[in-house]
Amino acid sequence: SKTPAPSASTDSGAGAKKKFVVGYSQSNNAEPYRAQLNLQLQHFLKQYPDIELLPIADAKQSSATQVSQVQNFITQKVDALIVSPTEPAPLTAAVQQACDAKIPVIVLDRTVNTDCYTAFIGGDNVLIGRKAGEEAVRLLPNGGNIVELRGIMSNQPQIDRDKGFREAIAANPKIKIIADREGKWVKEQATPIMQQWLSQNQQIDLVYGHNDPMALGAYLAAQAAGKADKIKFVGIDGLAIPDGGIRAVQLGQLSATFIYPTGAKEAAETVNKILHGQQAEKKQVLGTTQVTKENAAELYKQYDLSGQN
Amino acid sequence: MTTVKTAPPVKAPGESRMRRTLSALGAGQAYIGLVLILAVGIATKGEMFLNETNLTNAIGAFASRGILAVGVTLVILTGGIDLSVGSLLGIGSMTAAMMLAKFSLDPWQIVPICMAVGALFGFLNGAGTAWLRIQSFVMTLAMLSVVRGLDRQVSDNVSVGTQIAGPDGKLTPQAEAFQVFGTPGHNLFDRIYYPVLAFIVVCIVFHLILTKTRFGRHVYAVGGNATAARLSGVNVTAVTIAVFTLSGMLAGFAGPIDAAYSASADPQAGLSFELDAIAAAVIGGASLAGGKGTIAGTFVGALILTLLDNVLGLNAVSDNWQLVIKGLIVVVAVVLQRPDLFKFLRGGSRS
Amino acid sequence: MTTVKTAPPVKAPGESRMRRTLSALGAGQAYIGLVLILAVGIATKGEMFLNETNLTNAIGAFASRGILAVGVTLVILTGGIDLSVGSLLGIGSMTAAMMLAKFSLDPWQIVPICMAVGALFGFLNGAGTAWLRIQSFVMTLAMLSVVRGLDRQVSDNVSVGTQIAGPDGKLTPQAEAFQVFGTPGHNLFDRIYYPVLAFIVVCIVFHLILTKTRFGRHVYAVGGNATAARLSGVNVTAVTIAVFTLSGMLAGFAGPIDAAYSASADPQAGLSFELDAIAAAVIGGASLAGGKGTIAGTFVGALILTLLDNVLGLNAVSDNWQLVIKGLIVVVAVVLQRPDLFKFLRGGSRS
Amino acid sequence: MTTVLTMRAIGKSFPGVRALDGVSLTVAEGEVVALLGENGAGKSTLMNILAGVFKDYEGEIEVGGELVHIHSPKDARRHGIAMIHQELNLVPELTIADNIFLGQERALLDRKTTESRTAELLRGLGLDLSPRTLIKQCKIAERQLIEVAKALSQNVRVLVMDEPTSALADAEVHRLYEVIRDLTGRGVAVIYISHRLEELEEIADRVVVMRDGQYIGERNGINRDELIQMMVGRPLGEMFPRADGGSTGEELLKVEGLSVPGESGSGRTPLHDISLSVRAGEIVGVAGLMGAGRSELLESIFGVSKPAQGEMTLGGRPYRPKSPKAAIRRGVALVAEDRKAQSLVLGNTIGFNASLPSLKRFLRLGVVDAKRENAAVERQVRELRVKAPGTRFTVGNLSGGNQQKVVLAKWLLTEPSLILMDEPTRGIDVGAKAEIHALMSSLAAEGKGVLVASSELPELLAMCDRILVLCEGRVTAEFRRGQTTQEAILEAAMARQKVTV
Ligand SMILES: Nc1ncnc2c1ncn2[C@@H]1O[C@H](COP(=O)(O)OP(=O)(O)OP(=O)(O)O)[C@@H](O)[C@H]1O
Ligand SMILES: Nc1ncnc2c1ncn2[C@@H]1O[C@H](COP(=O)(O)OP(=O)(O)OP(=O)(O)O)[C@@H](O)[C@H]1O
Ligand SMILES: [Mg+2]
Ligand SMILES: [Mg+2]
């Protein structure tokens, strides 16, 4: 690659009306959270008429695929690149290549191990885990037993959501995590695990799921065993889809969930700024909102994008 | 002197009874792997393991995969393989959830539709294998990809819930009815979990088809020696297409069961279920070379897989060690249940 | 009278030359699928597709899976299957990263260790298949699980980076050297991407082994007719164990390549790579029944898979449709490249 | 003459079968010893032990006066023992040269040498094939000769031939005799198994007879009747028990102008403009050299390959079978040439195989009535005197001749009106052969049509009302019963037409 300037790349398009081309490599489309992110990003970028988002590339959870996707985008000489890495390390070199090719890179959601990117936008999983832990402490004032459904063990969000949670519940020594298993982020995996926990006849007071589907999978198992009322369920993600966490809170299935911000809006704004030569913040860490029965309806309306695209 | 010649009687009555008992024992051998796991379960967890709820839960979690395994067994018996069943289950579950969410169809309308969808793709698998003579591994791997793509496209990558609430905040009658497919806690006579029932019924039906009908014989013949089958008047093409279609149909049927189990259809539903299904068949004694295997074996294979999971889970074995131990026990179970185990241990015996 | 008998000349010199040309054409047939994809790539994206960097990137992304495919081809040729290669690549990559991170070993020390680790597990696969007579599908599926569990256990479920910085904040010399295994951007003579080179070398070596050595001949014989091979004095057991060991060894070798490519060893690395590897072999014409297939075919199969991905990606086809189109094109490619395509199209031809 | 091989008190058991019991055998240098015995007598088992097929056996083996232990084919080869197995054992996807030198290659292959050696060996057997031809493209008779070439490729002291001629026609058989004489001239000992007694007369120095896994006795001269008596334990009457010229009825099958294109490289012979007819109650023979198209003709009539041109009628109605299924529905049966590849599901039971084409007969409400099925199979199997412990016995474990009987049973159960037989007595002992001949006669007597292709001319001469002779896919002669001789048939079989390409 012979280092073309980012804007020079659209020469072929010529003419006065210049359209910027943006590529986005998503780590895995088929997670509800990421599907939502895609939807939002498309929605927000549409509001900038001179920006064209290429069809979103789905790495299907494979770092190797994602690296070649980033390389494809470099080959296509996109004007800006957004990446949601599957894992930090594998994408580092690819992002470096984009950087060398003078293509601005926005890292969305998960980090990479290089500073050579233009902006990072993402949630703080340790923070969210901590909030969930604080909620658990609040829900179990007299202490109690918690079971934890983890995401894929080696995923960074799993590690962070676990870390923050454990930090927070240390506040009450009478709260104990009595069991934890890998639910792999999947609802269907969580149900039998919860069933086994229930079979072990231990007192379970709260289920902490690293995402809403797992918490809900556990809820199904508890409901079947007639124990759903005596157990609290806390999840993370808070998606505004009919099958998502906000609705589950509204229905009383989850005691609480925490919105893991997609950052789509911020990403769209940042892309626009960068493409027009404006300064953009290098690191934007997004907060979270706790979804409760009270604010659920309103949050759903706020984040619901169905019908807008 | 002719008497001497005719002497070897094809089946002396006394001998035959003994033989039959022996061969029944040999079949008993096939259950050793299962017995082993049951024994470990009971030894370590006793009542906690060996109670109706736990066993129902364990088998229920595997029911949809078990149903896939029955279809896959048919295909394997003819010497093929079906890698697309996981995706077909996925599209079946998505079809079911959408029919429910968008059109408020009743269960008895949903099931035939899902089965038809599965059968259609299964038919294409069969057509590609039998008519285009593509190796079934490639054909069904391609189908796995195509169907998963379609599934994700129609669902827009968003999971579709099946617990549809009406304006009154309660489940609609259709959504209520849909739960019988397997939302945990919905049982026949408050005891029999529907998916387990469905799995067992499917096993029985296909066991009868394979053992009692001409079609069943033809399935074994095609897998045992396709040329000989054709020269014996078997329509090898038709049999091949039929087994793939049936496998697809069963996967379609497993769709709503899976959707009800999770109370939602995930665009990723059924991902890599094909491996579990094939594993159940092969652990149950089906030979990937074709011509050898039974539904009973597949049933046992499915039980081994799911009960093993359950025993390890109840014993709170860590996730990583579960992977290790599961692999080891599968090997041990397969070795133990070979019919010629004793001969094998004594050494000897060729190829 | 015997003179009359010997008359029918089976090989007239003129005819033989024609025959050979024809059969060479028939081999050319095998590349039609690939040519088709290249044509689509060039037609739709021209220079953007057909340039060294892009092709290198595309093939480089698949290199480690391509190496797995070579090993898997060996196993398939003997009539077996190896599902464990993805996990073995995983443990190979973890071994490499740990050797680098914990013991600061040099690349030439790391590679043999990784290959030995892979070969060890491969040997166990072979032993289970040949000695315990477990179907290789079950044996390697169990190994897939066991090795993944071990991989996750030794790594404590945390990925291990390979870009180790020394006290001066720069990469250690070993980490620097490790990058040649395939960290993107590290090329031989600034042009040749090492993993692509490694893949091609592995292909050539194993092509020669299969076509020029006794061992290669025996591999084909075992897969083509194990009984005949045994009766001819071929040590079927040894050949079986050898191919699994080699497959494991190659997977171990692919480990550091994958680790360098990702600049880290993920405990999940290699997940479901086995399907890609087997698909490459089978698309390349290997028959799962054994005895039929070539390394050249597998190489073409790997190119088809990875270039297809690349073309679809460059054309910015949406991912869901990519899955659909990919499945369809694989089917078309496989149909087009069958050696008897023309005969097949004319109808007729019986199995 | 010095003794090269001594087998002493050899015994072998399989589950439920005592295949060999205390059998001894000695063979001297340059001697041809024939092993004779009924199907299932244990001949192949005895020789398989010698060739290292089985890991364990009872008894002792001495080669060249030295006690040896043979537990693998490699051991056998080391002691200079080579065997041509009864069932063909070649790798279809490899070339002839690769197959011949399989297991004896150098670590680095030497194509040139092996191919030129192969060409030499093939020439010696009168086979004009390129060493690079794939086995799957070779005809079954060619494959059998390739097996011979494979055995000859080694430096042998003892050569075992287990029915090496079962797929060969006379000309090839004589070529094989020349090869054997050449070998014995060089001091090689040959053990020769065959059910064709007339072959033994020509080639064997000594005949050893086995029955039910035991040594019965041996003779130096060949006295047919005595040998048969020893083999089957009773005198056997007429070998070919067909009364002269059976009365024939209506025309059953009529074939006119049948042409089938061959496929290059598939080993199939094209057929040109063949016309024939078979009447009810008639046995029609088809003679020809190997590759003459006999099998192809029968298979075409059975709907295996679609004819390009020609008309057929069956029982007066037009007959154009699209598939074997259609043929079977019209009451046609084919006893195919290669029982292992074309006729049997080896891994399944006798009962499964026997009832496969006739299951329709046993259906009740769409379900197979196992009782009726079993009864019918058992009756048929007993009638044909299949030697097996029961109908649930795995076909693959039967002796070759008994497998052939299962194939016959399978087709008789379909109650065909026209039965096509391709080498029906291949690998069948004299006793059983007589039974099959009797069976053919009785089928004809029942008013069925029989069309039989065979490489054994005496069989055709004795059994058939008419004999068609094929050469390179054309009918070159037709003889009526009693109006021809072996020589006349052979001449017609070699009446090659000048083909202008
Ligand atoms: N692998 C096996 N398992 C079980 N029984 C076997 C096996 N091989 C041979 N037998 C049995 O051993 C007996 C002897 O068989 P063998 O093949 O030696 O007969 P044969 O004399 O060669 O007969 P034929 O002339 O038909 O070839 C038969 O009853 C046969 O069924
Ligand atoms: N590649 C093959 N696939 C299937 N069958 C084959 C193949 N090669 C040969 N055969 C068999 O061999 C037969 C060819 O023999 P053909 O009809 O030409 O001669 P024939 O007179 O029957 O002589 P013989 O059977 O003695 O060789 C085919 O009809 C078929 O039964
Ligand atoms: Mg024999
Ligand atoms: Mg023939």
Side-chain angles (χ1 to χ4, degrees), chain B residues 350, chain D residues 14-15 17 19 37-46 54 86 162-163 195 387 393 397-402 427:
Chain B
R350 47 171 177 149
Chain D
F14 296 109
V17 183
E38 287 182 281
N39 294 131
K43 306 178 295 292
S44 299
T45 307
L46 183 67
F54 302 114
Q86 181 173 13
D162 195 350
E163 300 191 30
H195 291 295
K387 194 177 166 188
F393 195 73
N397 289 340
L398 286 178
S399 82
N402 282 306

Side-chain angles (χ1 to χ4, degrees), chain B residues 6-338:
Chain B
T6 44
V10 168
K11 201 179 126 195
E15 184 199 331
S16 119
R17 195 166 316 136
M18 204 183 79
R19 282 207 146 251
R20 240 179 267 162
T21 320
L22 270 174
S23 92
L25 265 179
Q29 189 79 27
Y31 301 92
I32 287 195
L34 181 58
V35 169
L36 173 86
I37 288 160
L38 285 172
V40 172
I42 296 168
T44 54
K45 289 286 138 176
E47 174 59 16
M48 186 192 292
F49 169 75
L50 196 69
N51 75 63
E52 207 184 310
T53 316
N54 181 56
L55 293 180
T56 297
N57 286 344
I59 302 169
F62 203 83
S64 57
R65 273 169 285 180
I67 291 171
L68 299 186
V70 171
V72 166
T73 303
L74 292 182
V75 174
I76 289 179
L77 279 176
T78 65
I81 197 154
D82 191 347
L83 298 174
S84 70
V85 289
S87 289
L88 292 184
L89 175 141
I91 204 151
S93 97
M94 191 52 76
T95 307
M98 286 192 152
M99 291 294 144
L100 184 68
K102 301 240 160 95
F103 307 108
S104 294
L105 292 194
D106 286 310
W108 55 89
Q109 300 171 300
I110 290 177
V111 167
I113 294 174
C114 293
M115 287 169 78
V117 168
L120 170 71
F121 289 112
F123 171 80
L124 293 177
N125 279 333
T129 308
W131 287 334
L132 299 181
R133 308 235 186 88
I134 301 171
Q135 284 194 65
S136 58
F137 189 96
V138 181
M139 184 65 217
T140 57
L141 187 64
M143 189 60 75
L144 176 159
S145 176
V146 169
V147 171
R148 181 63 65 193
L150 292 177
D151 185 2
R152 293 170 50 153
Q153 186 64 25
V154 295
S155 67
D156 233 346
N157 284 315
V158 171
S159 63
V160 178
T162 61
Q163 298 197 314
I164 320 277
D168 56 351
K170 280 199 203 155
L171 290 188
T172 62
Q174 291 84 6
E176 186 68 48
F178 187 80
Q179 299 190 331
V180 301
F181 284 130
T183 307
H186 292 263
N187 299 325
L188 180 65
F189 311 131
D190 271 336
R191 291 197 60 172
I192 306 168
Y193 184 50
Y194 289 98
V196 174
L197 186 66
F199 176 36
I200 291 174
V201 169
V202 165
C203 283
I204 291 173
V205 167
F206 280 87
H207 170 76
L208 292 176
I209 289 178
L210 278 181
T211 54
K212 301 280 176 219
T213 71
R214 189 155 65 128
F215 171 71
R217 295 291 177 86
H218 287 183
V219 168
Y220 281 97
V222 168
N225 182 345
T227 310
R230 209 166 60 92
L231 291 180
S232 301
V234 175
N235 189 337
V236 175
T237 308
V239 170
T240 305
I241 293 179
V243 292
F244 280 100
T245 308
L246 286 172
S247 176
M249 190 193 80
L250 284 175
F253 174 61
I257 292 178
D258 190 73
Y261 185 75
S262 298
S264 73
D266 192 296
Q268 299 284 76
L271 204 70
S272 80
F273 275 16
E274 60 277 359
L275 277 187
D276 285 329
I278 298 170
V282 180
I283 290 171
S287 157
L288 291 173
K292 234 172 80 185
T294 58
I295 297 295
T298 299
F299 184 71
V300 170
L303 289 190
I304 286 179
L305 282 178
T306 188
L307 292 182
L308 183 52
D309 250 348
N310 184 263
V311 170
L312 295 175
L314 288 182
N315 279 294
V317 174
S318 94
D319 287 299
N320 297 344
W321 288 117
Q322 277 201 28
L323 285 170
V324 176
I325 295 172
K326 214 170 136 176
L328 294 178
I329 292 201
V330 163
V331 168
V332 172
V334 168
V335 170
L336 281 185
Q337 71 197 18
R338 45 194 308 158

Side-chain angles (χ1 to χ4, degrees), chain A residues 10-38:
Chain A
T10 42
D11 281 351
S12 48
K17 258 201 172 167
K18 167 145 104 184
K19 204 147 181 177
F20 296 105
V21 178
V22 175
Y24 176 37
S25 171
Q26 171 65 281
S27 75
N28 183 16
N29 276 355
E31 287 169 29
Y33 160 76
R34 302 200 170 269
Q36 190 71 356
L37 193 168
N38 292 349

Side-chain angles (χ1 to χ4, degrees), chain A residues 3-296:
Chain A
T3 64
S7 49
S9 62
T10 42
D11 281 351
S12 48
K17 258 201 172 167
K18 167 145 104 184
K19 204 147 181 177
F20 296 105
V21 178
V22 175
Y24 176 37
S25 171
Q26 171 65 281
S27 75
N28 183 16
N29 276 355
E31 287 169 29
Y33 160 76
R34 302 200 170 269
Q36 190 71 356
L37 193 168
N38 292 349
L39 221 59
Q40 293 182 357
L41 190 72
Q42 284 160 346
H43 170 74
F44 288 117
L45 275 177
K46 229 174 244 168
Q47 291 165 7
Y48 305 101
D50 61 342
I51 297 179
E52 183 201 340
L53 179 65
L54 293 173
I56 294 169
D58 176 7
K60 298 176 212 77
Q61 259 173 354
S62 154
S63 296
T65 308
Q66 194 161 29
V67 168
S68 52
Q69 281 172 354
V70 170
Q71 289 172 338
N72 274 351
F73 284 132
I74 298 171
T75 306
Q76 295 174 65
K77 305 196 172 91
V78 294
D79 297 295
L81 183 60
I82 311 175
V83 189
S84 293
T86 24
E87 293 299 328
L91 266 294
T92 302
V95 166
Q96 186 71 42
Q97 282 181 321
C99 170
D100 293 343
K102 302 270 184 317
I103 296 174
V105 180
I106 290 147
V107 182
L108 192 55
D109 173 35
R110 295 182 189 176
T111 51
V112 289
N113 300 340
T114 169
D115 275 341
C116 197
Y117 54 81
T118 318
F120 166 81
I121 299 164
D124 182 342
N125 280 307
V126 180
L127 172 80
I128 294 176
R130 198 178 299 124
K131 294 256 180 194
E134 283 162 9
E135 178 64 13
V137 171
R138 207 184 55 74
L139 288 167
L140 305 175
N142 303 318
N145 290 340
I146 295 178
V147 291
E148 180 184 16
L149 283 160
R150 296 167 174 263
I152 291 172
M153 296 295 265
S154 53
N155 287 173
Q156 195 60 38
Q158 186 283 129
I159 294 167
D160 292 346
R161 288 178 189 185
D162 174 64
K163 181 164 174 260
F165 187 81
R166 284 175 194 258
E167 279 170 16
I169 58 169
N172 182 347
K174 280 194 281 183
I175 296 181
K176 273 209 302 279
I177 295 181
I178 55 166
D180 63 295
R181 286 272 301 271
E182 183 185 36
K184 303 196 174 130
W185 306 115
V186 176
K187 191 173 184 182
E188 198 168 355
Q189 297 258 355
T191 309
I193 293 175
M194 184 66 182
Q195 285 176 335
Q196 288 166 14
W197 280 333
L198 291 170
S199 284
Q200 289 169 331
N201 297 320
Q202 349 185 36
Q203 171 75 28
I204 296 174
D205 301 298
L206 185 141
V207 175
Y208 170 43
H210 284 191
N211 67 359
D212 293 335
M214 289 195 290
L216 287 169
Y219 176 81
L220 280 176
Q223 196 185 35
K227 293 178 180 162
D229 316 338
K230 295 181 205 87
I231 302 176
K232 314 269 189 239
F233 296 83
V234 175
I236 290 176
D237 275 356
L239 294 184
I241 54 172
D243 198 34
I246 299 182
R247 280 279 185 259
V249 171
Q250 263 181 312
L251 292 170
Q253 296 172 332
L254 299 184
S255 301
T257 184
F258 297 83
I259 290 182
Y260 183 73
T262 60
K265 184 154 179 271
E266 293 78 1
E269 284 165 9
T270 308
V271 166
N272 184 49
K273 277 186 195 164
I274 294 170
L275 288 175
H276 292 93
Q278 298 164 19
Q279 200 57 39
E281 225 178 309
K282 177 127 186 173
K283 196 158 183 157
Q284 303 173 48
V285 178
L286 309 170
T288 181
T289 313
Q290 177 172 354
V291 182
T292 61
K293 244 189 162 124
E294 290 70 46
N295 65 7

Side-chain angles (χ1 to χ4, degrees), chain C residues 307-317 321-322 325-326 329:
Chain C
L307 292 181
L308 183 53
D309 253 347
N310 183 260
V311 169
L312 294 175
L314 287 183
N315 278 294
V317 174
W321 290 118
Q322 274 198 31
I325 295 171
K326 213 170 137 177
I329 293 200

